[in-house]
């Protein structure tokens, strides 16, 4: 009897409430996008629009990650979202307003045009259009629409690293014909994904608008997970749950009051626990900073800044962090603290003429020349690593500076006179490097890596070894620079892939595996650059390491020799340098590039291998063939 009973209830439900059925079938499944008409005289495309998005656990809990998703800066999101400190982590379900540029895009004659914001997304392992649209972008787009916009891609055969245009649904308000009727006026449209418990009145009150204007644009009926467009005059002020006190001792009451205002009861209990926990953690660290460094409360923000980097293991790391901060603050005694005026003076107010590259400026203070790197508040990771390392083949940190007014931070390094290896090899501004110098440079880099891989505890992985991060001093000795992406600790797995195309190891790109072997791989690519004089990735996007391995794997010895010869840098060949030495280095490079990280040599083996090549290289120069220019000491 029981099953029939249920069936009957279900039938009754369906008969009585046809809408019950409708709201369960998701229209968005078939939604290929919202049409727009480019030709209409009163259209407003392109326009500024916004999307409502919520932070979610575990991957989208900080503005940096969400910003990456939409190709926006943290500030671009924090401003419209009423978040005062862009670098602090978010809690799950924090509401955000994401600014979009909405345009009307022509697909083809039969299909017409659809309106969307053009976001580029790079396919990661195990992504499908469905997962990306429903999870990463929270149904602000649909997989049928992604297919329409990317006709050349095969949805069942996506390759990692491929770029896909994600059409984030949006709409522009109609131009008003007569400004007399104010109730028809809207400045922006917010794209909002309907949630199962929503109704028109709850949505209207959420965005501070009236029900009628929502119905005018979207019709009476709401469908779950459909994107609707909410017309608004001005941006709603989102209630952000956590208001951390800037500093101080007994602000408990204020926190609780702030929390209580914005939240329902259940959310409140949850947030109270999280809030108090964060409050205690941050305040504790805050005091530590203040006591240790006497730099005042500004550093509190810097502290929070580092969270962006380890959002995945935030919880486990907090205790460790406290200890590390103590370490950093201890070591900071060793560094000079520069004033912002000194740096402004040194660089003519960060004038373009002092720019070395990226955000690095050259400046002279008290007659001493420095390289000054301007950073946002994520300086902490780099400081943490640099304070542990001190080696002739690593660029030395001399001091730092904090500019509380601009929330910028500056790291001040020794100035390395001869610029980057990249500019020597590929920009042709300088004299050509001879083989002996190149070999010395290779050995210097290997020694620098040996130091961070084997002689620091815990080991440090640089993660971004490339010729533009290798600097050459006045004696043409190489130093590794830019520890901005470096990680201490080993065999971590990260979801946030960073690094440089052409140098990234396959296992890191595919699975996010971080190990010293990824530096070995990138070093292999730098060796190839030294041997071939070619860039790690050419204009057509061909990878140097890929072509090297393919050449090396040829079975036809004659063809192989012919191709190798074409592949080597002509400038070295002119020198009649020792072929034996060259081939020795090439063998090391090929070994570094093994696809299986465990089969790559350790940095110790590499140093040994290169030193052997150096012996053969020097024998030759002693005989006086090919005179080494820029001879290293
Ligand atoms: C989606 O499309 C399929 C086939 O075109 C159709 O059978 C189904 O009813 C559609 N669903 C909705 C909710 O429109
Ligand atoms: C838009 O107008 C142009 C000429 O003004 C016409 O060639 C084109 O076909 C029109 N497109 C649509 C979609 O109506
Ligand atoms: C998306 O934007 C990129 C760069 O802004 C542009 O090259 C591309 O053509 C755009 N794609 C579409 C479909 O509008
Ligand atoms: C997106 O829609 C699907 C149903 O098509 C739903 O299962 C999923 O939970 C939605 N995602 C979000 C983040 O709301
Ligand atoms: C127009 O685009 C739609 C969606 O991608 C596609 O199904 C259709 O075949 C296209 N038509 C033409 C004539 O290219
Ligand atoms: C998948 O794509 C790759 C290249 O992107 C291609 O070589 C391969 O043949 C494709 N496989 C299928 C089953 O289409
Ligand atoms: C303004 O528009 C509303 C409907 O959108 C209409 O009911 C009202 O009469 C209009 N008022 C004026 C002054 O045109
Ligand atoms: C809309 O939902 C809210 C709660 O989300 C509820 O209080 C209200 O009664 C609902 N209104 C209608 C018309 O269903
Ligand atoms: C931001 O949100 C807080 C907490 O909900 C609110 O009190 C405050 O007025 C808002 N600030 C601005 C500038 O909108």
């Amino acid at each position: 009897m029981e099953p029939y009973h249920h069936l009957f209830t279900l039938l009754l439900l369906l008969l009585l409430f046809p809408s019950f059925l409708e709201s369960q079938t998701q229209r968005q499944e078939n939604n290929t996008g919202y049409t727009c008409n480019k030709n209409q005289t009163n259209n407003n495309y392109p326009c500024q629009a916004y999307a409502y998005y919520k932070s979610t656990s575990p991957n989208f809990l900080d503005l940096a990650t969400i910003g990456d998703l939409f190709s926006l800066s943290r500030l671009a999101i924090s401003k419209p979202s009423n978040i005062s400190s862009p670098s602090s982590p978010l809690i799950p379900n924090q509401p955000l307003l994401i600014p979009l540029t909405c345009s009307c895009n022509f697909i083809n004659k039969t299909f017409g045009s659809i309106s969307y914001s053009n976001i580029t997304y790079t396919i990661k392992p195990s992504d499908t259009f469905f997962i990306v649209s429903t999870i990463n972008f929270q149904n602000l787009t649909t997989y049928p629409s992604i297919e329409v916009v990317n006709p050349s891609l095969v949805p069942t055969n996506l390759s990692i690293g491929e770029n896909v245009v994600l059409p984030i649904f949006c709409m522009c308000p109609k131009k008003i014909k007569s400004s007399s009727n104010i109730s028809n006026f809207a400045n922006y449209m917010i794209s909002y994904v309907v949630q199962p418990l929503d109704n028109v009145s709850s949505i209207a009150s959420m965005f501070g608008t009236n029900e009628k204007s929502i119905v005018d644009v979207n019709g009476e009926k709401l469908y779950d997970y459909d994107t609707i467009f909410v017309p608004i005059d001005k941006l709603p002020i989102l209630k952000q749950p956590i208001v951390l006190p800037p500093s101080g001792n007994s602000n408990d009451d204020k926190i609780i009051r702030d929390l209580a205002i914005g939240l329902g009861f259940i959310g409140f209990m949850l947030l109270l626990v999280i809030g108090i926990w964060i409050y205690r953690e941050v305040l504790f660290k805050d005091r530590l900073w203040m006591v240790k460094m006497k730099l005042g409360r500004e550093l509190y923000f810097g502290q929070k800044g580092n969270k962006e980097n380890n959002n995945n293991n935030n919880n486990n790391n907090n205790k460790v962090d406290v200890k590390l901060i103590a370490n950093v603050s201890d070591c900071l005694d060793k560094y000079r603290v520069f004033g912002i005026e000194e740096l402004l003076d040194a660089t003519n107010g960060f004038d373009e003429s002092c720019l070395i590259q990226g955000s690095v400026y050259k400046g002279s203070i008290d007659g001493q020349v420095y390289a000054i790197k301007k950073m946002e508040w994520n300086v902490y990771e780099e400081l943490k690593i640099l304070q542990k390392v001190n080696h002739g083949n690593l660029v030395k940190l001399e001091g730092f500076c904090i500019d509380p007014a601009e929330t910028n931070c500056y790291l001040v390094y020794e100035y390395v006179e001869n610029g980057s290896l990249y500019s020597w090899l590929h920009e042709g501004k300088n004299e050509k490097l001879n083989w002996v110098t190149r070999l010395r440079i290779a050995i210097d880099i290997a020694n620098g890596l040996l130091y961070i891989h084997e002689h620091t505890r815990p080991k440090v992985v640089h993660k971004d070894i490339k010729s533009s991060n290798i600097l050459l001093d006045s004696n043409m000795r190489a130093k590794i620079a830019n520890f901005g992406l470096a990680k201490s600790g080993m065999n971590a797995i990260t979801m946030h892939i960073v690094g440089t195309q052409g140098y990234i190891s396959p296992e890191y790109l595919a699975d996010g595996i971080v190990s010293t072997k990824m530096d070995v791989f990138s070093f292999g690519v730098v060796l190839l650059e030294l041997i071939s004089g070619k860039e790690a990735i050419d204009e057509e996007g061909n990878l140097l390491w890929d072509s090297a391995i393919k050449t090396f794997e040829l079975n036809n010895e004659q063809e192989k020799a012919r191709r190798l010869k074409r592949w080597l840098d002509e400038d070295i060949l002119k020198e009649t340098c020792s072929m034996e030495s060259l081939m020795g280095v090439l063998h090391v490079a090929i070994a570094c590039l093994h696809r299986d990280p465990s089969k790559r040599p350790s940095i110790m083996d590499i140093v040994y291998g290169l030193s052997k090549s150096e012996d053969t290289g020097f024998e030759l120069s002693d005989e006086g063939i090919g005179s080494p220019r820029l001879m290293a000491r």
Side-chain angles (χ1 to χ4, degrees):
M1 215 47 218
E2 205 46 21
Y4 293 103
H5 179 73
H6 280 286
L7 198 63
F8 179 73
T9 319
L10 187 66
L11 272 176
L12 196 68
L13 260 174
L14 293 184
L15 280 175
L16 288 181
F17 305 102
S19 63
F20 173 76
L21 222 192
E22 263 174 356
S23 73
Q24 291 298 303
T25 40
Q26 285 131 20
R27 225 173 41 143
Q28 62 121 21
E29 247 176 53
N30 287 357
N31 185 357
T32 50
Y34 294 81
T35 55
C36 55
N37 192 345
K38 275 196 136 155
N39 280 8
Q40 248 164 31
T41 46
N42 65 343
N43 92 54
N44 227 349
Y45 293 94
C47 69
Q48 169 80 68
Y50 291 87
Y52 182 87
Y53 186 90
K54 281 187 158 183
S55 54
T56 51
S57 179
N59 293 334
F60 300 101
L61 279 181
D62 63 294
L63 288 180
T65 317
I66 297 171
D68 284 351
L69 201 57
F70 289 94
S71 312
L72 291 168
S73 71
R74 288 178 293 189
L75 209 61
I77 301 175
S78 67
K79 264 192 172 159
S81 307
N82 181 18
I83 289 177
S84 51
S85 58
S87 48
S88 51
L90 307 172
I91 59 161
N93 285 327
Q94 229 173 305
L96 302 170
L97 285 178
I98 314 276
L100 305 171
T101 304
C102 189
S103 54
C104 191
N105 305 274
F106 183 67
I107 303 296
N108 63 31
K109 264 237 173 89
T110 47
F111 193 87
S113 302
I114 54 178
S115 68
Y116 60 79
S117 173
N118 172 359
I119 304 276
T120 304
Y121 178 83
T122 306
I123 294 292
K124 305 198 173 42
S126 79
D127 274 350
T128 63
F129 287 169
F130 183 75
I131 290 174
V132 172
S133 62
T134 59
I135 296 176
N136 298 26
F137 288 93
Q138 302 181 1
N139 294 320
L140 283 163
T141 185
T142 59
Y143 71 89
S145 192
I146 303 178
E147 287 174 21
V148 165
V149 172
N150 300 279
S152 61
L153 298 181
V154 182
T156 50
N157 186 20
L158 298 174
S159 30
I160 293 160
E162 197 157 23
N163 280 343
V164 178
V165 174
L166 282 206
I168 303 299
F169 295 150
C170 62
M171 195 176 274
C172 292
K174 289 205 166 65
K175 261 186 197 151
I176 36 158
K177 287 235 172 84
S178 73
S179 52
S180 61
N181 200 332
I182 281 300
S183 76
N184 272 344
F185 183 78
N187 277 324
Y188 308 110
M189 295 276 202
I190 298 183
S191 307
Y192 175 76
V193 175
V194 176
Q195 300 300 308
L197 293 177
D198 284 339
N199 56 41
V200 176
S201 64
S202 66
I203 295 171
S205 73
M206 185 189 314
F207 293 106
T209 182
N210 55 22
E211 296 175 33
K212 186 174 177 312
S213 59
I214 297 180
V215 172
D216 281 350
V217 176
N218 304 284
E220 296 269 356
K221 188 89 199 75
L222 297 184
Y223 299 86
D224 287 353
Y225 304 117
D226 232 8
T227 303
I228 62 164
F229 305 100
V230 181
I232 48 157
D233 286 352
K234 62 178 178 43
L235 282 187
I237 294 165
L238 298 181
K239 292 271 189 288
Q240 294 300 350
I242 292 187
V243 183
L244 282 173
S247 182
N249 302 322
S250 60
N251 273 347
D252 287 23
D253 288 345
K254 185 171 175 303
I255 286 192
I256 290 169
R257 204 174 54 235
D258 280 341
L259 282 167
I261 291 168
L263 296 165
F265 183 70
I266 295 170
F268 168 64
M269 292 308 283
L270 184 66
L271 288 173
L272 187 67
V273 175
I274 297 171
I276 287 179
W277 172 77
I278 291 176
Y279 170 63
R280 276 186 37 197
E281 291 288 326
V282 172
L283 268 193
F284 174 52
K285 288 180 211 169
D286 190 13
R287 289 207 198 96
L288 206 59
W289 273 103
M290 291 211 289
V291 172
K292 291 275 189 183
M293 300 173 62
K294 299 189 180 64
L295 277 170
R297 80 172 216 217
E298 296 87 337
L299 276 171
Y300 162 69
F301 293 107
Q303 233 326 287
K304 288 197 296 183
N306 89 74
K307 288 255 174 71
E308 111 184 69
N309 292 329
N310 40 16
N311 56 325
N312 285 337
N313 40 13
N314 239 346
N315 305 359
N316 322 343
N317 269 3
N318 264 305
K319 291 283 177 298
V320 184
D321 271 359
V322 173
K323 243 193 321 201
L324 283 169
I325 290 155
N327 289 346
V328 172
S329 44
D330 284 341
C331 81
L332 287 179
D333 299 339
K334 292 196 307 218
Y335 294 124
R336 177 161 164 201
V337 179
F338 292 88
I340 183 67
E341 292 78 19
E342 273 179 295
L343 300 191
L344 285 171
D345 253 14
T347 57
N348 282 332
F350 293 101
D351 191 76
E352 290 242 330
S353 62
C354 298
L355 194 63
I356 302 175
Q357 80 178 130
S359 56
V360 185
Y361 295 79
K362 178 180 177 180
S364 111
I365 299 168
D366 304 334
Q368 176 83 31
V369 183
Y370 296 102
I372 301 162
K373 180 167 164 192
K374 187 172 180 175
M375 311 179 78
E376 278 190 26
W377 282 101
N378 48 13
V379 51
Y380 169 78
E381 278 292 320
E382 190 161 352
L383 262 183
K384 191 172 89 184
I385 294 200
L386 282 171
Q387 59 103 358
K388 279 194 300 199
V389 301
N390 182 13
H391 187 269
N393 296 120
L394 308 177
V395 170
K396 188 162 169 254
L397 182 72
E398 304 277 358
F400 66 100
C401 163
I402 283 148
D403 178 10
E406 279 206 65
T407 65
N408 276 331
C409 197
Y410 303 86
L411 293 181
V412 181
Y413 303 92
E414 67 173 314
Y415 180 69
V416 186
E417 293 86 345
N418 271 321
S420 73
L421 176 60
Y422 180 91
S423 69
W424 280 84
L425 287 178
H426 307 307
E427 286 178 348
K429 280 189 289 202
N430 305 306
E431 206 177 333
K432 292 290 174 199
L433 298 173
N434 67 12
W435 178 242
V436 175
T437 311
R438 292 184 195 212
L439 196 49
R440 269 262 46 113
I441 290 169
I443 293 171
D444 282 342
I445 305 168
N447 275 321
L449 286 176
L450 177 66
Y451 177 78
I452 63 170
H453 287 179
E454 302 289 341
H455 300 297
T456 53
R457 287 283 170 275
K459 298 176 181 188
V460 170
V461 182
H462 185 283
K463 288 182 80 179
D464 201 16
I465 293 292
K466 55 178 171 180
S467 54
S468 55
N469 278 340
I470 308 298
L471 303 182
L472 302 176
D473 74 4
S474 53
N475 294 318
M476 298 307 280
R477 302 301 298 241
K479 290 171 185 281
I480 302 174
N482 200 351
F483 281 74
L485 299 180
K487 264 253 171 308
S488 53
M490 276 280 291
N491 297 327
I493 295 192
T494 174
M495 299 296 287
H496 187 70
I497 303 294
V498 291
T500 305
Q501 266 282 20
Y503 297 91
I504 305 179
S505 64
E507 80 278 3
Y508 177 65
L509 193 60
D511 303 321
I513 298 170
V514 177
S515 76
T516 51
K517 291 296 171 73
M518 72 182 280
D519 282 349
V520 167
F521 184 92
S522 310
F523 176 67
V525 179
V526 174
L527 287 182
L528 291 182
E529 286 183 82
L530 285 167
I531 299 167
S532 71
K534 295 185 182 5
E535 293 200 37
I537 183 165
D538 71 9
E539 275 132 29
E540 282 138 34
N542 300 318
L543 301 172
L544 181 60
W545 64 263
D546 201 33
S547 83
I549 289 179
K550 284 201 184 114
T551 307
F552 219 73
E553 276 170 354
L554 284 177
N555 280 328
N556 181 339
E557 287 302 320
Q558 234 175 354
E559 172 68 8
K560 185 165 155 183
R562 205 174 59 80
R563 284 221 215 155
L564 270 181
K565 193 147 185 197
R566 216 173 42 197
W567 196 76
L568 297 174
D569 191 342
E570 286 172 19
D571 292 308
I572 311 179
L573 290 180
K574 271 190 230 144
E575 266 181 58
T576 60
C577 77
S578 149
M579 207 57 191
E580 199 188 327
S581 165
L582 245 173
M583 293 317 280
V585 176
L586 183 57
H587 272 104
V588 174
I590 296 291
C592 290
L593 297 171
H594 205 291
R595 276 198 170 267
D596 179 354
S598 65
K599 299 233 168 78
R600 290 175 207 150
S602 76
I603 194 70
M604 195 85 101
D605 300 333
I606 294 171
V607 171
Y608 178 73
L610 290 177
S611 305
K612 260 190 7 202
S613 296
E614 188 184 29
D615 292 343
T616 49
F618 273 126
E619 265 166 36
L620 206 86
S621 54
D622 287 347
E623 285 160 23
I625 313 168
S627 61
R629 278 165 288 165
L630 300 160
M631 182 53 192
R633 64 186 120 117

